Amino acid sequence: MSLRVFVPNDTAACSVGADAVAHAIAMHGAMHGVDITIVRNGSRGAAWLEPLVEVDTATGRMGFANVSPGDAPSLFAGSAPNAQYPACIGLVEEHPWFARQQRLTFKRAGRIDPLSLAEYEAEGGLIGLRRALSLTAEAIVAEVTASGLRGRGGAAFPAGIKWNTVRQASSATKYVVCNADEGDSGTFADRLLMEADPYQLVEGMIIAGLAVGATRGVIYVRSEYPRAIATLREAISRAEGAGLLGASVLGSPHRFHLVVRVGAGAYICGEETALLESLEGKRGMVRAKPPLPALQGLFGQPTVINNVLTLAAATDVLAHGGTAYAALGLDRSKGTMPFQLAGNIARGGLVEVPFGLTLRELVDDFGGGSRSGRPLRAIQVGGPLGAYLPEHQWDTPLAYESFAAVGAMLGHGGVVCFDDTVDMAEQAEFAMAFCAHESCGKCTPCRIGSTRGVEVIQRLRRREESRKQWALLEELCETMELGSLCALGGLTPLPVRSVMTHFSADLLAPVGGKPE
């Protein structure tokens, strides 16, 4: 009997020993005469279970959690998986953590060999592209518009409007650029998808190219993602060999060429115009708008810039129709969103659900509360520029409009949790310090304002003229918000103000006394 055993090749799984686990299982099979085929799949996103080893059975894939190399002999009872072993979690698809999710973008993640185009197609891949090839560019854009799909990179701009602007632009050369410079704290969805299901991103970029008339695509990946870079490059090479990319897309008259470019570690290059500057070989600095990149983007040509999750979601929109996609979600927040649980959380990982679940449900039901066992005090949603939400706001639905109504943002879906030992004044200072470190330096409110912001908060933490410094910090936040050239400086006040509003005692009250 031959067993197929799946051991993730994902960055997170490998960081906790997945490579050694794969080797130990192979050695066990060789030593005991068990015919084992090891598939290095991507991760399903359950970081708290990694390395998650899965074994094919007649009824489904049986999972073993947190496997170490020494566990390898115990995973098998002869030539079958050992369901009695304590690490066994049963059939993976039936595990409550996975069964409660509704996966669209990540439906294949962890289930297939990431580099097998045949497995990708067998699991529903290329349906969207084949349908797109039968439609006009206008009809493709109409489907994306009807879906209500909005940019998953943080800005939440309607994808249909952006695509239509580029479609209508007049130029012989147009580009599709994927922003895979995933730099927000607590986020890893882009990396996980690129490592677990790279052909979905490739397919989404080709669809975008068909929609706007672009024949060239660039994936801009942060240098900290070496496995994702290697996986993408191999996937692109195989896609070219299979006729998915190149002079003729699946035998059609359409051509599309795709390359990977690697960033140099600047957070600001996650901002679309700084990313374009970097791609053109310049220093990553923000451009003034107008002109919009949709009209004058890469090398001055009309350019679609979307992040990994947006382009990947477009494959489902085209495969099943914009109306079906729009049926999921809440209000103008359509479809599903991959939320990433991190920080002081018991069950960290990626959870994909339709918009509308509350933050409390996400953190309690999926995250299992704090890892420390202490009460949670604050949750930051949306990366280092996101607000810190206190307990009374955790029943807010996870949707763009709902979060905006309470002075917060969803951003890229990163959720970082803090227990009751956190010093929120320190977190406010970190927000300003992060901006000062990552600022491109082009505009004064961001470059100088963030540096002064660190100094003001430090004076507050030392209890020096608290009321005067408080007023100064309020004015400084307003200046940065209204005067900064891009969202880095413009949004840095968001986490600072959330601390001032909801955790003011940490900034104001001296030890054993009242504010000055």
Side-chain angles (χ1 to χ4, degrees):
M1 178 180 179
S2 177
L3 287 176
R4 291 187 83 212
V5 179
F6 297 80
V7 184
N9 197 30
D10 166 83
T11 294
C14 290
S15 73
V16 290
D19 288 335
V21 168
H23 177 73
I25 292 173
M27 292 298 293
H28 170 79
M31 291 174 62
H32 294 85
V34 181
D35 184 10
I36 294 178
T37 300
I38 294 180
V39 179
R40 299 307 301 272
N41 57 326
S43 173
R44 291 182 185 258
W48 61 290
L49 297 177
E50 297 292 6
L52 176 61
V53 173
E54 303 178 35
V55 183
D56 252 343
T57 72
T59 56
R61 300 244 288 258
M62 185 171 293
F64 297 88
N66 308 125
V67 176
S68 66
D71 293 326
S74 304
L75 303 184
F76 307 97
S79 58
N82 180 10
Q84 304 307 312
Y85 190 61
C88 182
I89 64 171
L91 296 180
V92 177
E93 302 284 357
E94 296 179 0
H95 189 281
W97 200 82
F98 297 107
R100 288 197 300 252
Q101 299 186 42
Q102 187 168 349
R103 292 197 163 190
L104 295 182
T105 302
F106 286 86
K107 59 181 174 291
R108 283 178 294 267
R111 299 186 66 249
I112 65 171
D113 176 349
L115 291 173
S116 172
L117 195 51
E119 288 188 30
Y120 175 72
E121 191 166 4
E123 292 287 334
L126 302 185
I127 294 175
L129 176 57
R130 286 199 166 94
R131 179 165 179 250
L133 286 167
S134 71
L135 300 175
T136 64
E138 187 175 8
I140 297 172
V141 172
E143 287 284 15
V144 174
T145 302
S147 73
L149 176 64
R150 294 164 70 174
R152 299 290 190 253
F157 189 81
I161 294 177
K162 180 180 288 188
W163 287 24
N164 198 46
T165 302
V166 180
R167 182 186 71 83
Q168 292 179 329
S170 178
S171 177
T173 303
K174 298 180 182 180
Y175 294 95
V176 177
V177 172
C178 174
N179 182 349
D181 192 58
E182 185 178 46
D184 282 353
S185 50
T187 60
F188 46 87
D190 289 357
R191 176 193 59 74
L192 197 152
L193 188 130
M194 288 186 287
E195 294 179 358
D197 197 8
Y199 293 117
Q200 186 174 19
L201 176 56
V202 172
E203 181 183 356
M205 293 191 70
I206 300 172
I207 290 172
L210 294 173
V212 304
T215 58
R216 300 179 183 180
V218 181
I219 306 174
Y220 185 94
V221 189
R222 66 193 313 237
S223 60
E224 295 88 342
Y225 285 173
R227 286 180 183 265
I229 293 165
T231 302
L232 282 172
R233 284 178 169 160
E234 179 61 25
I236 289 170
S237 176
R238 296 189 185 191
E240 290 171 341
L244 181 59
L245 289 170
S248 174
V249 174
L250 294 179
S252 73
H254 302 280
R255 58 190 173 93
F256 196 78
H257 301 274
L258 186 57
V259 296
V260 174
R261 293 290 180 260
V262 181
Y267 179 80
I268 194 61
C269 287
E271 195 280 334
E272 62 180 13
T273 62
L275 183 154
L276 293 176
E277 291 284 290
S278 178
L279 278 177
E280 293 177 4
K282 305 170 189 173
R283 178 181 175 183
M285 297 184 74
V286 175
R287 295 177 182 175
K289 299 177 187 176
L292 297 172
L295 299 176
Q296 293 182 38
L298 186 60
F299 301 115
Q301 303 303 318
T303 304
V304 166
I305 308 177
N306 282 129
N307 93 315
V308 173
L309 302 182
T310 313
L311 291 161
T315 65
D316 280 308
V317 171
L318 267 295
H320 306 293
T323 302
Y325 191 85
L328 298 171
L330 178 69
D331 298 327
R332 290 178 52 242
S333 301
K334 303 296 188 182
T336 61
M337 181 71 180
F339 295 100
Q340 300 122 86
L341 290 167
N344 195 332
I345 193 77
R347 299 195 291 262
L350 181 139
V351 176
E352 185 179 357
V353 289
F355 289 99
L357 188 78
T358 69
L359 180 59
R360 191 186 304 276
E361 289 171 327
L362 178 68
V363 170
D364 288 348
D365 296 350
F366 287 98
S370 74
R371 182 175 176 82
S372 65
R374 300 183 64 88
L376 290 174
R377 186 183 183 205
I379 302 174
Q380 186 178 35
V381 182
L385 309 181
Y388 293 97
L389 280 71
E391 196 273 339
H392 73 267
Q393 291 185 332
W394 297 350
D395 292 312
T396 303
L398 290 159
Y400 297 119
E401 293 76 22
S402 302
F403 262 58
V406 298
M409 68 175 188
L410 288 184
H412 189 44
V415 178
V416 180
C417 301
F418 301 84
D419 72 11
D420 61 356
T421 63
V422 66
D423 180 349
M424 294 307 296
E426 184 180 9
Q427 294 306 122
E429 182 180 335
F430 170 77
M432 285 291 187
F434 180 84
C435 181
H437 183 268
E438 297 293 347
S439 174
C440 74
K442 188 166 186 176
C443 71
T444 302
C446 177
R447 182 184 71 251
I448 302 299
S450 56
T451 301
R452 297 289 86 85
V454 171
E455 296 167 355
V456 172
I457 294 174
Q458 287 176 342
R459 288 195 288 269
L460 276 168
R461 296 184 68 193
R462 293 195 299 265
R463 317 307 182 195
E464 298 176 4
E465 300 181 298
S466 294
R467 294 195 181 280
K468 178 181 178 181
Q469 300 306 320
W470 185 275
L472 183 58
L473 185 57
E474 288 180 325
E475 292 180 6
L476 186 59
C477 284
E478 182 178 24
T479 299
M480 292 180 67
E481 179 185 31
L482 300 178
S484 295
L485 189 57
C486 82
L488 177 56
L491 288 178
T492 293
L494 191 61
V496 176
R497 281 176 169 153
S498 68
V499 173
M500 296 173 75
T501 301
H502 303 298
F503 306 97
S504 58
D506 289 32
L507 276 171
L508 277 178
V511 177
K514 296 180 179 179
E516 297 176 15

